[in-house]
Amino acid sequence: MPSSWQVECLIARMRSLQNDIIRVKYKDHPYLNEPDTVYDALLAVVQARLEKVESLNKVYSVQQKTIPQSMFNSAAEELERISEVFNYADRVDSARIPFEILRSLSWVANYLFKEECPTIVRLDPDYNYSIASWRRIFQKKKWQKEWQETAGRVHSTGQPPTILLLGFPSPDAGSILMHALAAHEFGHEFAYKWNDEINNVHKEIIAVILDQYNQRLQDYIRGQIHTRRESLGDVYEVRARYVFVLIHRIADKWLKEIFSDLVAARLVGPAFLAAFDRILLGPGKVSDKYPPSSLRRDLVKQYLKTILPAVAEDPVWKPLLNGSAESSSTSDELYRIMGEVFKSIPDRLISILRRVPSPLLQINGTELPLLISQMEDHIENLAPPSVPLKVGNEIDEANKFWLLMYGAWHFRLSNHFAEFEKRYGWIDEPGKAEIVLGNLLLHSLQSLELRHQWSTRN
Amino acid sequence: MSITPSEPVTDSHAPMAWTTSIATLALEKLRLGISIDQDEQNRLGLDISDDDLEISGSELDAIGAVAIEFESLSDASEISLNDLFENDTEPVRSAIRDSFPTLIAIKREMVPPLNLPDFKQASVNLSSIKKHYEIAGRRGLNPKIVEEAQKVCLELLDHLDKQRPST
């Protein structure tokens, strides 16, 4: 049982965390008030827990009883959870953050999700790229009450406003080309928004597993039991329920990852795989949360062949779509079963995916190669590749963001890039050519937004 | 959702554990308030007021949430393995499915035979406590059902505590 001293330490730690959040809140940063909303919501969460711990301490100590250890541990866990979330928001002011990209990403998010999506950025010490909605982070942690009270007015959708949290890998904070991954991350926001439809596909997957793989599942469950305990029936029962939970969890996580991959394929074609390969070196590890990357690549290829066959056949993308000599086999039978079931996933998701506006589909089949060629000409001559993109045509302006991203990666992976390096004498300066390409892309993205504002006001 | 796997440092049962802790605190306040009235508190010199023992909105909500969780746990434990793995039966509701990890956590720690706490009764008790308090405060509340409900809450907390990942 925790001593009164230990309870005092817990309360002191909670107060320290409050003070730290306040300290960070008052640091200079280039945003309006977006980080303040996050800090205020976190402070509300800490305060609510602190009040409960103080009340707990009073109610038990007045009776000269000790707080049950499990309740103390639960409070300590809450402190850890809040600290973990605070870590996402305590490095939003680094000078290395490319703040110029935020406006473009926010503009694109506003367009896709039909709500204001102000954005803050953090540098991720792990080599990782992420976009998450703070509203959703608080909901997942079961702190939605504090978010709602702090973020303010509720939309017509019934939801309070959100703020997006972008996480960039710290070593490559300045890489603009990485933002092709935003297409995948926005896919997760779509999955959350269309949760009912995604859930229906989830049910279909489970039905297939129970219908066609039942015997293999039962064998798998029996094979997992390594005990000679007397009540084998009880052990089997617990194990079977565990496997039941596991197949639902894997189906849920894999479905959302693959859905997000296919959203990315719709928005930016195979370009997101190029950025993906920068993050996830090699074949990656299959897990409950992430399908094997070979399966992901195969499904993206399968989907692109269906909706954009010319893009799928473009030789520039071959190294990405064919992958390296990675093995798709796994030693775990459950992952093998899931891999087999998921091969039919693109067909099951096709009607939901159609709701994502695809700039690559909006361009006439023969126009795309011509447009890309014009964009690449501009890049080769150090001119922004946004110039060939016409203002006010059938493609929504915010959606041209993805065309620029597609064009930039197409250039990067083509033979033109080596010539580009040679032409400007950057062969001896590794990375310089890509930085220049990134700057041209950034300039283009900003120009796109400015042109849109100009045309809507005039 | 990050591109690469990053293991969460905290436990998936944490939100339920915290809600159950708040509900248990509320039940302790009720128990104390019922067993000793204000005059007795003054006589014993207990430094606790009626305000300290008042159940807040968030504590009542926690009692309600734990009542629902206990109901789901009870329903989950009644689903047979055949029903779980049979494609012809109605899919298990997601609320009940969400309770399975908690149920598994409890059963894992138990020595066979697996005698689960009476979640059904605990759910009924908690719902009745919440309803009573909303209408009449703690006056007339049956102390026995408060104690019984608190006992099951503490049992659940103990099981969840054992699932916490070690650091």
Side-chain angles (χ1 to χ4, degrees):
Chain A
M1 296 298 187
S3 64
S4 56
W5 165 243
Q6 286 172 325
V7 176
E8 207 183 307
C9 288
L10 174 61
I11 290 171
R13 282 277 305 274
M14 284 183 158
R15 292 205 178 110
S16 290
L17 178 58
Q18 272 184 320
N19 290 337
D20 203 28
I21 296 172
I22 292 168
R23 178 188 65 78
V24 169
K25 179 180 166 181
Y26 288 108
K27 279 168 76 172
D28 284 335
H29 59 70
Y31 305 97
L32 279 176
N33 54 9
E34 292 88 358
D36 292 351
T37 304
V38 176
Y39 300 136
D40 287 342
L42 281 173
L43 284 168
V45 174
V46 180
Q47 183 59 28
R49 273 123 192 92
L50 182 56
E51 282 169 7
K52 289 291 172 253
V53 170
E54 284 173 336
S55 176
L56 194 59
N57 194 30
K58 180 151 198 177
V59 166
Y60 276 82
S61 61
V62 86
Q63 303 172 76
Q64 294 181 348
K65 282 163 64 170
T66 48
I67 297 172
Q69 187 70 54
S70 55
M71 289 173 82
F72 176 88
N73 290 350
S74 173
E77 178 101 44
E78 284 295 288
L79 179 65
E80 246 182 81
R81 276 168 19 107
I82 301 166
S83 298
E84 181 194 330
V85 173
F86 176 49
N87 279 343
Y88 302 156
D90 68 348
R91 292 179 69 192
V92 298
D93 59 334
S94 169
R96 292 192 299 116
I97 291 173
F99 291 103
E100 306 92 337
I101 192 71
L102 293 193
R103 208 179 138 126
S104 301
L105 281 168
S106 203
W107 176 49
V108 171
N110 292 357
Y111 162 76
L112 286 175
F113 302 112
K114 313 282 182 261
E115 66 171 304
E116 289 294 312
C117 294
T119 307
I120 63 177
V121 176
R122 66 182 283 265
L123 293 185
D124 194 330
D126 295 329
Y127 203 95
N128 220 336
Y129 185 98
S130 57
I131 298 181
S133 145
W134 274 108
R135 179 178 63 210
R136 192 152 61 85
I137 290 171
F138 272 69
Q139 281 168 348
K140 277 173 88 164
K141 295 288 184 192
K142 310 286 186 213
W143 303 336
Q144 53 268 41
K145 181 168 159 281
E146 285 83 0
W147 181 259
Q148 188 145 335
E149 282 167 2
T150 316
R153 53 175 176 83
V154 170
H155 285 161
S156 56
T157 56
Q159 297 253 54
T162 189
I163 294 168
L164 295 185
L165 172 68
L166 269 60
F168 296 169
S170 181
D172 267 330
S175 170
I176 306 301
L177 286 166
M178 285 295 224
H179 294 288
L181 285 168
H184 170 93
E185 295 300 315
F186 288 148
H188 281 291
E189 293 303 314
F190 277 125
Y192 188 72
K193 198 174 162 181
W194 300 328
N195 189 52
D196 291 344
E197 293 91 326
I198 297 287
N199 251 346
N200 288 340
V201 176
H202 176 111
K203 284 180 192 160
E204 287 173 23
I205 294 169
I206 299 300
V208 166
I209 294 172
L210 295 181
D211 187 40
Q212 296 173 24
Y213 295 86
N214 212 313
Q215 188 55 54
R216 280 172 70 178
L217 266 184
Q218 302 300 331
D219 293 342
Y220 174 77
I221 294 166
R222 269 188 224 80
Q224 294 284 305
I225 296 171
H226 304 294
T227 179
R228 293 184 184 279
R229 281 165 72 170
E230 284 181 28
S231 305
L232 193 60
D234 289 331
V235 174
Y236 179 86
E237 200 244 333
V238 172
R239 185 70 207 168
R241 286 185 193 275
Y242 174 72
V243 168
F244 177 81
V245 167
L246 201 53
I247 59 174
H248 273 276
R249 189 188 314 152
I250 294 173
D252 178 58
K253 299 290 184 191
W254 284 25
L255 181 55
K256 284 169 182 162
E257 285 304 321
I258 288 169
F259 175 77
S260 301
D261 285 345
L262 300 183
V263 166
R266 267 184 91 80
L267 288 172
V268 75
F272 91 94
L273 287 175
F276 178 77
D277 284 337
R278 281 283 172 88
I279 297 271
L280 188 73
L281 299 172
K285 214 173 139 200
V286 63
S287 70
D288 296 354
K289 283 170 84 169
Y290 293 89
S293 57
S294 55
L295 175 67
R296 295 171 77 169
R297 220 174 283 274
D298 284 347
L299 294 177
V300 165
K301 190 175 172 181
Q302 188 184 319
Y303 182 62
L304 282 172
K305 276 184 165 169
T306 308
I307 64 164
L308 288 161
V311 166
E313 292 306 316
D314 186 331
V316 158
W317 305 119
K318 265 202 172 26
L320 307 178
L321 292 173
N322 295 340
S324 56
E326 53 189 297
S327 167
S328 60
S329 66
T330 166
S331 59
D332 191 293
E333 168 70 341
L334 196 58
Y335 292 147
R336 277 202 294 270
I337 291 170
M338 300 307 282
E340 288 170 29
V341 172
F342 267 74
K343 282 193 173 121
S344 65
I345 272 301
D347 293 336
R348 296 182 190 277
L349 291 172
I350 239 172
S351 60
I352 310 174
L353 286 163
R354 271 196 205 112
R355 295 156 81 168
V356 177
S358 170
L360 294 169
L361 279 170
Q362 284 177 292
I363 290 189
N364 181 298
T366 51
E367 279 178 29
L368 181 62
L370 179 61
L371 176 64
I372 297 305
S373 174
Q374 288 171 339
M375 286 165 72
E376 288 180 340
D377 275 342
H378 279 73
I379 294 170
E380 275 170 344
N381 290 288
L382 298 179
S386 51
V387 172
L389 287 170
K390 293 186 184 58
V391 179
N393 63 1
E394 68 280 3
I395 302 174
D396 290 321
E397 296 307 300
N399 241 4
K400 288 172 183 156
F401 176 102
W402 307 112
L403 279 177
L404 283 167
M405 207 50 84
Y406 178 92
W409 270 111
H410 194 278
F411 180 82
R412 174 62 185 85
L413 295 174
S414 70
N415 298 334
H416 296 291
F417 189 73
E419 287 159 19
F420 182 65
E421 281 182 307
K422 194 173 165 189
R423 179 174 174 183
Y424 295 104
W426 292 326
I427 290 183
D428 294 332
E429 292 182 75
K432 179 76 179 263
E434 199 171 291
I435 291 171
V436 171
L437 174 59
N439 287 341
L440 288 170
L441 177 58
L442 179 62
H443 183 104
S444 295
L445 295 173
Q446 291 172 318
S447 153
L448 198 66
E449 199 210 334
L450 285 170
R451 279 173 11 181
H452 168 65
Q453 284 186 17
W454 175 261
S455 73
T456 50
R457 278 180 201 160
N458 292 284
Chain B
M1 174 73 74
S2 56
I3 294 291
T4 58
S6 52
E7 292 301 316
V9 297
T10 50
D11 165 38
S12 58
H13 297 293
M16 194 64 232
W18 179 245
T19 305
T20 311
S21 293
I22 299 178
T24 311
L25 166 63
L27 293 170
E28 183 65 17
K29 286 185 186 179
L30 284 173
R31 203 195 56 77
L32 185 60
I34 293 167
S35 62
I36 314 175
D37 65 20
Q38 189 62 57
D39 289 338
E40 185 76 2
Q41 284 172 40
N42 292 339
R43 194 183 71 77
L44 291 171
L46 293 180
D47 182 21
I48 195 150
S49 66
D50 248 11
D51 281 348
D52 290 329
L53 294 179
E54 194 169 308
I55 309 300
S56 67
S58 64
E59 287 161 5
L60 271 180
D61 288 343
I63 290 175
V66 177
I68 292 170
E69 177 65 15
F70 281 166
E71 194 184 344
S72 292
L73 282 167
S74 173
D75 290 344
S77 66
E78 281 163 17
I79 297 176
S80 70
L81 284 184
N82 276 346
D83 286 344
L84 276 186
F85 287 94
E86 231 0 272
N87 203 13
D88 292 338
T89 55
E90 206 180 301
V92 177
R93 275 191 299 121
S94 66
I96 296 178
R97 211 172 62 230
D98 288 345
S99 296
F100 277 154
T102 308
L103 196 62
I104 290 161
I106 294 169
K107 287 190 173 186
R108 259 196 189 137
E109 295 303 321
M110 288 178 137
V111 177
L114 302 173
N115 291 324
L116 292 170
D118 190 349
F119 289 126
K120 193 82 187 171
Q121 189 56 52
S123 174
V124 166
N125 287 349
L126 284 170
S127 298
S128 123
I129 289 167
K130 180 172 186 264
K131 202 167 170 186
H132 184 110
Y133 193 87
E134 279 165 348
I135 299 168
R138 64 173 177 261
R139 199 181 298 278
L141 202 47
N142 183 340
K144 194 159 180 292
I145 66 164
V146 172
E147 274 183 36
E148 282 171 5
Q150 194 183 39
K151 185 166 168 274
V152 180
C153 285
L154 284 167
E155 263 192 78
L156 176 64
L157 272 170
D158 276 341
H159 284 297
L160 295 181
D161 193 44
K162 285 172 189 153
Q163 300 305 309
R164 195 159 283 119
S166 50
T167 51

